[in-house]
């Protein structure tokens, strides 16, 4: 029997194929889980960037004292448009109660899946994938000197928050950045 080439028997091929199929079937659910985790991480990253962007806009508004000690406050910049404009908005005016819980005109904007601002107001326009809300509250111990700024970014605007939602909080002190 030396010299006769041997191949695989049909039984060996079936067993090897069965082992391969079972191995691939065991890995398939991991691919689904990894794909979902990747999408969730993408959503959370974009929500974080959108929240940080709005927080930077809020912190950039004037909140200081003039040389004679008078209070300077930006109370009219419109932050609900793609590029903040110097009039027609609420600036750093205190927000109505519950502005993080519901869409309040002047304290909410809507973002497309690619990160573009698609509008403000209280009703999401077509193409909105994220709802970004913010609140501005005077800090109780010294309301003329400090503000609590909060930004919330959610996928659908509903509460309670999901793991993909992002909430940032900052304190703004007059004269400080």
């Amino acid at each position: 029997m030396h010299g006769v080439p041997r191949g695989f028997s049909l039984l060996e091929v079936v067993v090897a194929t069965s082992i391969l199929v079972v191995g691939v079937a065991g890995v398939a659910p991991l691919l689904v889980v990894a794909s979902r985790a990747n999408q969730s991480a993408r959503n959370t990253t974009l929500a974080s960037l959108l929240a940080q962007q709005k927080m930077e806009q809020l912190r950039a508004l004037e909140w200081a004292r003039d040389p004679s000690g008078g209070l300077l406050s930006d109370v009219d910049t419109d932050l609900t448009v793609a590029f903040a404009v110097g009039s027609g908005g609420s600036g750093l005016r205190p927000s109505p109660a519950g502005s993080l819980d519901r869409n309040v005109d002047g304290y909410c904007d809507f973002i497309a899946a690619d990160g573009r601002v698609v509008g403000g107001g209280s009703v999401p326009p077509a193409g909105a994938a994220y709802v970004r809300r913010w609140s501005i509250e005077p800090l109780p111990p010294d309301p003329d000197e400090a503000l609590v700024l909060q930004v919330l970014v959610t996928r659908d605007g509903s509460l309670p928050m999901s793991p993909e939602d992002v909430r940032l909080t900052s304190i703004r002190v007059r004269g400080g950045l």
Side-chain angles (χ1 to χ4, degrees), residues 32-161:
V32 171
V33 168
S35 177
R36 286 185 185 148
N38 190 31
Q39 183 63 38
S40 178
R42 181 192 176 286
N43 292 340
T44 302
T45 299
L46 183 54
S48 296
L49 291 170
L50 294 170
Q52 182 63 34
Q53 177 188 46
K54 185 56 67 181
M55 185 62 74
E56 288 176 9
Q57 284 181 328
L58 290 167
R59 292 186 58 80
L61 297 177
E62 184 172 50
W63 177 257
R65 291 190 172 274
D66 64 20
S68 66
L71 304 178
L72 300 173
S73 303
D74 183 330
V75 292
D76 63 355
T77 295
D78 187 357
L79 298 171
T80 64
V81 293
F83 298 100
V85 293
S87 64
S90 56
L92 288 175
R93 271 189 240 151
S95 55
S99 64
L100 292 178
D101 301 329
R102 59 184 167 52
N103 301 338
V104 175
D105 193 21
Y107 299 91
C108 178
D109 60 10
F110 304 97
I111 315 294
D114 63 2
R116 287 179 301 110
V117 176
V118 292
S122 58
V123 178
Y130 292 89
V131 178
R132 182 168 56 184
R133 300 174 182 140
W134 57 94
S135 72
I136 302 160
E137 300 173 22
L139 193 61
D142 201 353
D144 286 337
E145 293 299 319
L147 298 174
V148 177
L149 308 175
Q150 295 185 75
V151 178
L152 173 67
V153 178
T154 67
R155 288 284 292 173
D156 61 5
S158 65
L159 294 174
M161 292 176 57

Side-chain angles (χ1 to χ4, degrees), residues 160-173:
M161 292 176 57
S162 81
E164 293 180 2
D165 297 341
V166 174
R167 183 177 186 156
L168 297 179
T169 302
S170 180
I171 305 283
R172 178 79 194 272
V173 178

